[in-house]
Amino acid sequence: MMDLHALRQFVVVARLEHLSRAAEELRVAQPSLSRTVARLESELGTPLFDRAGRLRLNDAGRVFLRHAERALGELDAGTRAVAALAGGEFGTVRLASETFLTLTGPLAAFKRAHPSVEVELHQLEAQEMGRRLRAREVDLCVASQPVPPEGLEAVRLLDEEVWVVAPLDHPLVLAGRSSVSVPELAGQPFVTTRTGHWQRRLLDRLFAVHDLAPPRIVCEGDEPSATAILVAAGLGIGLIPDMARRSATRAPVAWISVDGADCRRTLTLLRYADGRPTGAARLMHAALTGWDWASGPV
């Protein structure tokens, strides 16, 4: 089998057509370099140089040089491609979240910085995230509620207030209320998400903590971003995180603070602790942890 090291040495000798200068450039002993060239010629079954006087490539040497340079160039390109893949500039990162509206800002910035990385998005409930990470079916998850930590590494991205939003003609708004207690929300019609989504879990928990009957749900769905639009249409009130107030597409609703410290959302980035993340996954993890979540529009 032809020695890759011998090919590289041959290319230098062929370029310089001088053994001693080639040996100096390669930092090898000239006798060793001579033996390498001789073994290569023996393997090919023909001389590659004319040795009468000055060392010169012959016809066979010129033909072989073209192929050797092409082969070494392809190998070097392959090495660079693998290094880029390991570094994250190519490949795919599989990212899961309960809602994608939260991620529009950092995802847009990531694609501008790394256009060759393919981003594969999965919409998952938090209870499914741990299983999918441990099964290596996704690389990263952004959760808005606690996820069992077994085998997972978590980084807090944002802790933010969650507001009650109400139609502009709602009695609380007309009364000029800037805050409200949870008991005052009992009996109000709520627009919220299905069981399992973080808004619904937060709403149920707030009512349970205050020993209230379950909230009155008039509309439930799978996409949290629809809540404000439905509230603005007059269907009821809802819980929406502070981040949505910075959205350029904010619906015409009133924002009312909830008394107490429990009405909050914690945004957490999760990955499998014992895994070997791809370069693309490492780049995405760095992008999400480095994003300024507390300012600017989503």
Side-chain angles (χ1 to χ4, degrees):
M1 180 178 292
M2 196 163 292
D3 184 359
L4 180 61
H5 188 58
L7 281 181
R8 294 192 184 279
Q9 290 191 343
F10 161 73
V11 168
V12 175
V13 174
R15 173 168 54 83
L16 297 175
E17 293 187 320
H18 199 287
L19 272 173
S20 60
R21 288 206 299 267
E24 183 179 350
E25 181 174 318
L26 292 166
R27 297 185 180 181
V28 299
Q30 182 174 330
S32 174
L33 184 57
S34 295
R35 289 193 294 271
T36 297
V37 173
R39 283 196 301 270
L40 185 60
E41 290 176 320
S42 176
E43 187 172 348
L44 291 170
T46 185
L48 299 173
F49 296 91
D50 291 332
R51 290 174 170 82
R54 181 183 173 185
L55 188 72
R56 290 186 181 278
L57 275 174
N58 60 24
D59 290 343
R62 283 189 287 272
V63 169
F64 186 67
L65 176 62
R66 289 196 298 271
H67 288 278
E69 287 178 329
R70 190 179 309 150
L72 291 172
E74 286 296 318
L75 285 172
D76 289 341
T79 300
R80 290 193 299 271
V82 170
L85 182 62
E89 292 305 325
F90 297 94
T92 301
V93 55
R94 302 163 300 174
L95 176 64
S97 181
E98 293 168 272
T99 173
F100 298 134
L101 182 63
T102 300
L103 301 175
T104 54
L107 283 179
F110 181 86
K111 286 301 292 183
R112 286 194 298 271
H114 309 287
S116 297
V117 176
E118 181 176 303
V119 180
E120 187 179 292
L121 297 176
H122 300 261
Q123 190 165 21
L124 298 177
E125 295 182 7
Q127 63 187 15
E128 180 72 2
M129 289 181 177
R131 186 194 69 77
R132 297 285 291 272
L133 283 168
R134 296 182 191 101
R136 317 297 202 279
E137 294 175 359
V138 293
D139 300 304
L140 301 166
C141 292
V142 177
S144 298
Q145 57 185 291
V147 173
E150 293 85 357
L152 303 181
E153 174 189 300
V155 177
R156 177 179 292 188
L157 301 176
L158 175 70
D159 181 72
E160 64 176 344
E161 182 177 3
V162 176
W163 300 72
V164 166
V165 292
L168 297 179
D169 59 355
H170 191 277
L172 288 172
V173 180
L174 297 178
R177 296 289 298 274
S178 60
S179 66
V180 64
S181 68
V182 174
E184 289 180 282
L185 300 176
Q188 291 281 349
F190 271 90
V191 175
T192 187
T193 48
R194 296 185 187 276
T195 301
H197 288 274
W198 73 267
Q199 286 101 326
R200 181 61 172 275
R201 291 190 65 179
L202 176 59
L203 179 61
D204 290 342
R205 181 171 58 80
L206 291 172
F207 273 57
V209 165
H210 290 84
D211 295 322
L212 300 173
R216 178 185 163 206
I217 308 297
V218 297
C219 179
E220 62 178 12
D222 292 320
E223 182 45 62
S225 61
T227 301
I229 299 172
L230 295 172
V231 167
L235 273 71
I237 64 174
L239 296 179
I240 298 185
D242 188 66
M243 180 184 291
R245 300 186 74 185
R246 305 191 299 272
S247 172
T249 58
R250 188 174 65 196
V253 293
W255 297 74
I256 303 172
S257 179
V258 179
D259 295 337
D262 293 334
C263 196
R264 304 189 67 81
R265 171 174 79 149
T266 300
L267 204 63
T268 305
L269 177 62
L270 304 161
R271 66 181 174 185
Y272 186 62
D274 297 329
R276 294 184 178 179
T278 64
R282 288 195 297 270
L283 280 179
M284 179 63 78
H285 190 276
L288 293 176
T289 54
W291 180 254
D292 184 4
W293 294 93
S295 64
V298 296

